[in-house]
Amino acid sequence: TQLLEQSPQFLSIQEGENLTVYCNSSSVFSSLQWYRQEPGEGPVLLVTVVTGGEVKKLKRLTFQFGDARKDSSLHITAAQTGDTGLYLCAGGSGNTGKLIFGQGTTLQVKP
Amino acid sequence: DAMVIQNPRYQVTQFGKPVTLSCSQTLNHNVMYWYQQKSSQAPKLLFHYYDKDFNNEADTPDNFQSRRPNTSFCFLDIRSPGLGDAAMYLCATSRDLLQGGYEQYFGPGTRLTVT
């Protein structure tokens, strides 16, 4: 069974701080997605990484896929209150299209 | 804008009273998914349709059924809701895997309350 371990599960920081969320597995994934979900809404796709070692940037967010395609990280620089939400990593593998989700990281950014 | 729409956004039902949640999409994606999500947890896949082919997860209770009458619409039926079925229900779509389809696009969800 493929599993994605996401850490930390909860993070409360002040506006302006940096943070990193990790997503680790012993399995190889064909691709890995990061989603952000605000309370009462559905997850919104932030990025997809597919190549080992790939780094993608989305404004203050930097996403990295591990060389072996077993892990990923999300780094946020100078967090803002609008970054508050549940961050989910999800890996795709096999031929079904189904995603394996991490447990999620609840981020609270305080003003 | 192409999107995934869920109705209603909030649904209150009574214990044991059947309820249907609906999802529609304008993305023309082959695959549609239903997830159950409880607070601050990851979504849990209930089942998915690949075109008209229905795929049930092994641990999805029989109480949950689904219908997909055409490409655009998909329904989630809960035959006899229990208190433990109170959750956010999310619909998602994706393209065929051959078209690069691990990316899933979610609707805003339906928050189900069971009284």
Short mmCIF file of all heavy atoms in Angstrom, two decimals, chain A residues 6-38:
data_model
loop_
_atom_site.label_atom_id
_atom_site.label_comp_id
_atom_site.label_asym_id
_atom_site.label_seq_id
_atom_site.Cartn_x
_atom_site.Cartn_y
_atom_site.Cartn_z
N GLN A 6 2.84 13.30 5.60
CA GLN A 6 2.97 14.75 5.49
C GLN A 6 3.27 15.32 6.85
O GLN A 6 2.66 14.92 7.85
CB GLN A 6 1.66 15.33 4.92
CG GLN A 6 1.79 16.74 4.41
CD GLN A 6 0.54 17.19 3.67
OE1 GLN A 6 -0.23 16.39 3.13
NE2 GLN A 6 0.33 18.49 3.67
N SER A 7 4.21 16.28 6.91
CA SER A 7 4.55 16.89 8.19
C SER A 7 4.95 18.34 8.00
O SER A 7 5.47 18.71 6.93
CB SER A 7 5.71 16.10 8.83
OG SER A 7 6.87 16.17 8.02
N PRO A 8 4.73 19.17 9.00
CA PRO A 8 3.98 18.85 10.21
C PRO A 8 2.49 18.82 9.93
O PRO A 8 2.06 19.24 8.88
CB PRO A 8 4.33 20.02 11.14
CG PRO A 8 4.52 21.17 10.20
CD PRO A 8 5.16 20.59 8.98
N GLN A 9 1.70 18.33 10.86
CA GLN A 9 0.25 18.30 10.67
C GLN A 9 -0.37 19.66 10.98
O GLN A 9 -1.40 20.01 10.40
CB GLN A 9 -0.38 17.22 11.53
CG GLN A 9 -0.07 15.82 11.03
CD GLN A 9 -0.94 14.77 11.69
OE1 GLN A 9 -2.08 15.04 12.07
NE2 GLN A 9 -0.41 13.58 11.85
N PHE A 10 0.23 20.38 11.91
CA PHE A 10 -0.28 21.71 12.28
C PHE A 10 0.89 22.67 12.36
O PHE A 10 1.97 22.31 12.83
CB PHE A 10 -1.01 21.66 13.62
CG PHE A 10 -2.19 20.75 13.63
CD1 PHE A 10 -2.08 19.46 14.14
CD2 PHE A 10 -3.42 21.16 13.14
CE1 PHE A 10 -3.17 18.60 14.14
CE2 PHE A 10 -4.52 20.31 13.13
CZ PHE A 10 -4.38 19.02 13.64
N LEU A 11 0.66 23.89 11.92
CA LEU A 11 1.70 24.90 11.95
C LEU A 11 1.03 26.25 12.17
O LEU A 11 0.13 26.64 11.42
CB LEU A 11 2.45 24.89 10.61
CG LEU A 11 3.81 25.55 10.50
CD1 LEU A 11 4.75 25.07 11.59
CD2 LEU A 11 4.41 25.25 9.13
N SER A 12 1.48 26.95 13.23
CA SER A 12 0.96 28.28 13.51
C SER A 12 2.14 29.23 13.57
O SER A 12 3.04 29.04 14.39
CB SER A 12 0.20 28.28 14.84
OG SER A 12 -0.33 29.57 15.11
N ILE A 13 2.15 30.22 12.67
CA ILE A 13 3.30 31.12 12.59
C ILE A 13 2.82 32.56 12.48
O ILE A 13 1.65 32.83 12.24
CB ILE A 13 4.19 30.78 11.37
CG1 ILE A 13 3.39 30.94 10.07
CG2 ILE A 13 4.78 29.39 11.49
CD1 ILE A 13 4.24 30.82 8.82
N GLN A 14 3.76 33.48 12.64
CA GLN A 14 3.46 34.90 12.47
C GLN A 14 3.65 35.29 11.02
O GLN A 14 4.48 34.71 10.29
CB GLN A 14 4.38 35.75 13.35
CG GLN A 14 4.20 35.59 14.84
CD GLN A 14 2.85 36.06 15.33
OE1 GLN A 14 2.19 35.39 16.11
NE2 GLN A 14 2.43 37.23 14.87
N GLU A 15 2.89 36.27 10.60
CA GLU A 15 3.06 36.82 9.27
C GLU A 15 4.52 37.22 9.06
O GLU A 15 5.15 37.77 9.97
CB GLU A 15 2.14 38.04 9.13
CG GLU A 15 1.84 38.46 7.72
CD GLU A 15 0.71 39.47 7.65
OE1 GLU A 15 0.54 40.25 8.61
OE2 GLU A 15 -0.02 39.47 6.64
N GLY A 16 5.04 36.92 7.87
CA GLY A 16 6.42 37.29 7.57
C GLY A 16 7.41 36.17 7.77
O GLY A 16 8.54 36.23 7.24
N GLU A 17 7.03 35.13 8.51
CA GLU A 17 7.94 34.00 8.72
C GLU A 17 7.95 33.08 7.50
O GLU A 17 7.04 33.09 6.67
CB GLU A 17 7.53 33.22 9.97
CG GLU A 17 7.72 33.98 11.27
CD GLU A 17 7.36 33.16 12.50
OE1 GLU A 17 7.10 31.95 12.37
OE2 GLU A 17 7.34 33.73 13.60
N ASN A 18 9.00 32.27 7.44
CA ASN A 18 9.11 31.24 6.40
C ASN A 18 8.72 29.89 6.98
O ASN A 18 8.82 29.66 8.18
CB ASN A 18 10.55 31.16 5.87
CG ASN A 18 11.03 32.47 5.30
OD1 ASN A 18 10.25 33.30 4.85
ND2 ASN A 18 12.34 32.69 5.36
N LEU A 19 8.30 28.98 6.11
CA LEU A 19 7.95 27.64 6.58
C LEU A 19 8.14 26.64 5.46
O LEU A 19 8.16 26.99 4.28
CB LEU A 19 6.48 27.60 7.04
CG LEU A 19 5.47 27.80 5.91
CD1 LEU A 19 4.60 26.57 5.72
CD2 LEU A 19 4.62 29.03 6.18
N THR A 20 8.31 25.38 5.87
CA THR A 20 8.42 24.28 4.91
C THR A 20 7.53 23.14 5.35
O THR A 20 7.52 22.77 6.54
CB THR A 20 9.87 23.79 4.79
OG1 THR A 20 10.70 24.89 4.41
CG2 THR A 20 9.99 22.69 3.74
N VAL A 21 6.80 22.58 4.42
CA VAL A 21 5.96 21.40 4.63
C VAL A 21 6.57 20.25 3.83
O VAL A 21 6.99 20.45 2.68
CB VAL A 21 4.52 21.66 4.19
CG1 VAL A 21 3.66 20.42 4.38
CG2 VAL A 21 3.93 22.84 4.95
N TYR A 22 6.59 19.08 4.44
CA TYR A 22 7.23 17.93 3.81
C TYR A 22 6.21 16.82 3.53
O TYR A 22 5.25 16.63 4.27
CB TYR A 22 8.32 17.37 4.72
CG TYR A 22 9.42 18.36 5.01
CD1 TYR A 22 9.36 19.18 6.14
CD2 TYR A 22 10.50 18.50 4.14
CE1 TYR A 22 10.36 20.10 6.40
CE2 TYR A 22 11.50 19.42 4.40
CZ TYR A 22 11.43 20.22 5.53
OH TYR A 22 12.42 21.14 5.78
N CYS A 23 6.50 16.11 2.46
CA CYS A 23 5.64 15.02 2.03
C CYS A 23 6.58 13.86 1.65
O CYS A 23 7.36 14.01 0.72
CB CYS A 23 4.81 15.50 0.84
SG CYS A 23 3.49 14.44 0.37
N ASN A 24 6.53 12.77 2.39
CA ASN A 24 7.50 11.68 2.20
C ASN A 24 6.82 10.33 2.01
O ASN A 24 5.77 10.05 2.59
CB ASN A 24 8.43 11.59 3.43
CG ASN A 24 9.26 12.83 3.60
OD1 ASN A 24 10.04 13.20 2.74
ND2 ASN A 24 9.08 13.50 4.72
N SER A 25 7.48 9.50 1.21
CA SER A 25 6.95 8.16 0.97
C SER A 25 8.10 7.21 0.69
O SER A 25 9.20 7.63 0.33
CB SER A 25 6.01 8.18 -0.21
OG SER A 25 5.54 6.88 -0.51
N SER A 26 7.86 5.93 0.86
CA SER A 26 8.83 4.92 0.44
C SER A 26 8.53 4.45 -0.98
O SER A 26 9.27 3.64 -1.54
CB SER A 26 8.79 3.73 1.41
OG SER A 26 7.49 3.17 1.44
N SER A 27 7.45 4.98 -1.57
CA SER A 27 7.04 4.58 -2.91
C SER A 27 7.38 5.67 -3.92
O SER A 27 7.45 6.86 -3.58
CB SER A 27 5.53 4.34 -2.95
OG SER A 27 5.15 3.38 -1.99
N VAL A 28 7.54 5.26 -5.15
CA VAL A 28 7.79 6.19 -6.25
C VAL A 28 6.46 6.63 -6.83
O VAL A 28 5.55 5.80 -7.03
CB VAL A 28 8.65 5.53 -7.34
CG1 VAL A 28 8.81 6.46 -8.55
CG2 VAL A 28 10.01 5.13 -6.78
N PHE A 29 6.33 7.91 -7.11
CA PHE A 29 5.11 8.44 -7.72
C PHE A 29 5.42 9.00 -9.10
O PHE A 29 6.47 9.58 -9.35
CB PHE A 29 4.51 9.53 -6.84
CG PHE A 29 3.89 8.99 -5.58
CD1 PHE A 29 4.60 8.94 -4.40
CD2 PHE A 29 2.60 8.48 -5.60
CE1 PHE A 29 4.03 8.43 -3.24
CE2 PHE A 29 2.03 7.96 -4.45
CZ PHE A 29 2.75 7.93 -3.27
N SER A 30 4.48 8.82 -10.02
CA SER A 30 4.62 9.37 -11.37
C SER A 30 4.54 10.89 -11.34
O SER A 30 5.17 11.57 -12.16
CB SER A 30 3.50 8.85 -12.27
OG SER A 30 3.50 7.44 -12.29
N SER A 31 3.74 11.41 -10.44
CA SER A 31 3.62 12.86 -10.30
C SER A 31 3.16 13.15 -8.89
O SER A 31 2.67 12.26 -8.18
CB SER A 31 2.61 13.42 -11.31
OG SER A 31 1.29 13.03 -10.96
N LEU A 32 3.32 14.39 -8.50
CA LEU A 32 2.87 14.79 -7.18
C LEU A 32 2.21 16.16 -7.29
O LEU A 32 2.75 17.06 -7.95
CB LEU A 32 4.03 14.83 -6.20
CG LEU A 32 3.59 14.72 -4.74
CD1 LEU A 32 4.41 13.71 -3.99
CD2 LEU A 32 3.61 16.06 -4.08
N GLN A 33 1.05 16.26 -6.69
CA GLN A 33 0.31 17.53 -6.71
C GLN A 33 0.29 18.12 -5.31
O GLN A 33 0.28 17.40 -4.31
CB GLN A 33 -1.14 17.29 -7.15
CG GLN A 33 -1.33 17.06 -8.64
CD GLN A 33 -0.99 15.65 -9.03
OE1 GLN A 33 -1.30 14.70 -8.34
NE2 GLN A 33 -0.32 15.50 -10.16
N TRP A 34 0.23 19.44 -5.25
CA TRP A 34 -0.02 20.17 -4.01
C TRP A 34 -1.32 20.96 -4.18
O TRP A 34 -1.52 21.63 -5.21
CB TRP A 34 1.12 21.13 -3.69
CG TRP A 34 2.35 20.44 -3.15
CD1 TRP A 34 3.41 19.98 -3.86
CD2 TRP A 34 2.63 20.13 -1.78
NE1 TRP A 34 4.35 19.41 -3.03
CE2 TRP A 34 3.89 19.50 -1.74
CE3 TRP A 34 1.96 20.35 -0.58
CZ2 TRP A 34 4.49 19.07 -0.55
CZ3 TRP A 34 2.55 19.93 0.60
CH2 TRP A 34 3.80 19.29 0.61
N TYR A 35 -2.17 20.86 -3.16
CA TYR A 35 -3.43 21.57 -3.15
C TYR A 35 -3.49 22.44 -1.89
O TYR A 35 -2.92 22.10 -0.85
CB TYR A 35 -4.61 20.59 -3.09
CG TYR A 35 -4.79 19.71 -4.31
CD1 TYR A 35 -4.07 18.52 -4.44
CD2 TYR A 35 -5.68 20.06 -5.31
CE1 TYR A 35 -4.24 17.71 -5.56
CE2 TYR A 35 -5.87 19.25 -6.43
CZ TYR A 35 -5.14 18.08 -6.54
OH TYR A 35 -5.30 17.28 -7.63
N ARG A 36 -4.25 23.53 -2.00
CA ARG A 36 -4.58 24.33 -0.82
C ARG A 36 -6.10 24.37 -0.70
O ARG A 36 -6.81 24.57 -1.69
CB ARG A 36 -4.06 25.75 -0.89
CG ARG A 36 -4.39 26.56 0.38
CD ARG A 36 -3.71 27.90 0.41
NE ARG A 36 -4.31 28.82 -0.54
CZ ARG A 36 -3.63 29.80 -1.13
NH1 ARG A 36 -2.36 29.98 -0.88
NH2 ARG A 36 -4.25 30.60 -1.95
N GLN A 37 -6.57 24.20 0.53
CA GLN A 37 -8.00 24.18 0.77
C GLN A 37 -8.33 25.18 1.87
O GLN A 37 -7.78 25.10 2.98
CB GLN A 37 -8.47 22.78 1.19
CG GLN A 37 -9.95 22.64 1.35
CD GLN A 37 -10.36 21.22 1.67
OE1 GLN A 37 -9.56 20.40 2.12
NE2 GLN A 37 -11.62 20.88 1.45
N GLU A 38 -9.21 26.11 1.55
CA GLU A 38 -9.67 27.07 2.56
C GLU A 38 -10.92 26.50 3.23
O GLU A 38 -11.62 25.67 2.65
CB GLU A 38 -9.94 28.42 1.90
CG GLU A 38 -8.67 29.02 1.31
CD GLU A 38 -8.88 30.41 0.76
OE1 GLU A 38 -9.92 31.01 1.05
OE2 GLU A 38 -7.99 30.88 0.03
#
